[in-house]
Amino acid sequence: MTSESATRAEVTRLGEAYADRLRGLFDAVLESNGDAIADAAGVLADRVAADRLIHVYGPGGHSNLAAQEIFYRPGSLMHVSAILDEGTLLSSGALRSTATERTPGYGADVVAAAGLVDGDVLVLVNAFGINSAVIDAAREARNRGVTTVGVSSRAAAIEAPADHPARHPDRLNLHDVVDLHIDSHVPTGDTVIELGPAGPWTGGVSTSANAFCLQWLIMTTIAVLTERGHQAPVWRSRNAAGGDEANARGIERLQGRVTHL
């Protein structure tokens, strides 16, 4: 076997190992969240049927990607409004993002600035569900009468030390302070592949896990709306024939209401 073929074999082995870990994670999400997804989808469907928005916020570095995952995306609901606050976006500086997500009170200010009111719904996504921004966002939302849906890893939150600097000062977990919780099963440390006995851990999965949970939730919400006899307002790809025309009606209806549209 040549060194080149050995390298290719190792490349394939790594890819297969990562795919296996992702499949196992997705299976765990599916096995444990059926009721939570059904309950949350019912809440979201109620809001869309009433022509109200679904707000989604992912306070924390890569958790912000979750808010973008279902916002203005083909196949997703037009009524999704992403809260894309600059404070924790990596594009504003990675170290700034970490410092901001650990700042007590920051998440509450973001929710207040977003103008959420009684009867709204807010989906909060965070890989571990322990930082100050996500906990304070959940608390502020509930104080305002907003229904909260959390997406985070229950095990990772429980395993995080009580004195970890990333934790909210009150040592709370997202799954304890939201109305409904979807367990993403992200492992402690996020990574799933160890490169040898003394090698580093690699292969982050939180973005994939969050996306899987959210896409499952949105698909189920659309299915609930359809079962109720509603025409679900879903984005079409702007790169597909007829996409611009199909989306124009939603843009006309929601521009000015959805902040980042």
Side-chain angles (χ1 to χ4, degrees):
M1 180 180 289
T2 67
S3 59
E4 181 179 359
S5 63
T7 300
R8 288 178 179 173
E10 175 63 9
V11 166
T12 300
R13 186 193 69 78
L14 280 173
E16 290 175 344
Y18 184 58
D20 284 344
R21 301 298 191 280
L22 283 174
R23 279 191 287 267
L25 187 152
F26 292 164
D27 285 344
V29 169
L30 287 169
E31 184 176 342
S32 63
N33 288 295
D35 290 342
I37 289 287
D39 290 344
V43 170
L44 269 56
D46 289 342
R47 298 323 192 268
V48 175
D51 195 29
R52 299 187 68 161
L53 300 180
I54 298 168
H55 301 275
V56 57
Y57 180 34
H62 292 91
S63 295
N64 282 286
L65 297 175
Q68 299 176 60
E69 171 67 24
I70 56 172
F71 172 60
Y72 190 60
R73 182 161 199 158
S76 191
L77 287 160
M78 291 179 174
H79 285 66
V80 171
S81 181
I83 298 175
L84 303 176
D85 178 76
E86 294 291 336
T88 61
L89 290 177
L90 292 175
S91 56
S92 297
L95 298 178
R96 175 188 174 185
S97 171
T98 297
T100 302
E101 73 180 43
R102 295 181 176 186
T103 302
Y106 187 86
D109 290 342
V110 171
V111 169
L116 272 64
V117 297
D118 186 22
D120 279 340
V121 63
L122 174 63
V123 180
L124 288 160
V125 191
N126 189 265
F128 307 111
I130 63 173
N131 74 39
S132 289
V134 75
I135 298 299
D136 287 338
R139 282 172 143 184
E140 177 65 19
R142 295 189 73 181
N143 287 340
R144 290 170 170 262
V146 175
T147 300
T148 53
V149 179
V151 179
S152 63
S153 172
R154 183 179 292 268
I158 293 172
E159 291 169 9
D163 60 351
H164 195 286
R167 274 200 174 278
H168 186 278
D170 292 338
R171 311 294 190 254
L172 298 170
N173 302 313
L174 182 62
H175 61 259
D176 295 321
V177 296
V178 291
D179 297 299
L180 296 166
H181 183 258
I182 298 165
D183 191 346
S184 66
H185 288 271
V186 173
T188 297
D190 197 349
T191 52
V192 294
I193 299 295
E194 185 179 17
L195 295 180
W201 281 85
T202 185
V205 295
S206 59
T207 300
S208 298
N210 289 338
F212 185 81
C213 292
L214 289 170
Q215 290 290 355
W216 185 17
L217 175 58
I218 291 297
M219 288 188 292
T220 306
T221 303
I222 294 170
V224 170
L225 286 165
T226 302
E227 290 171 0
R228 293 180 182 178
H230 296 286
Q231 182 68 41
V234 173
W235 291 112
R236 293 268 302 279
S237 171
R238 300 185 74 87
N239 297 312
D244 285 344
E245 294 77 9
N247 292 336
R249 293 185 293 275
I251 293 171
E252 181 180 1
R253 183 177 181 181
L254 293 167
Q255 197 163 24
R257 294 172 57 196
V258 176
T259 302
H260 293 284
L261 191 59

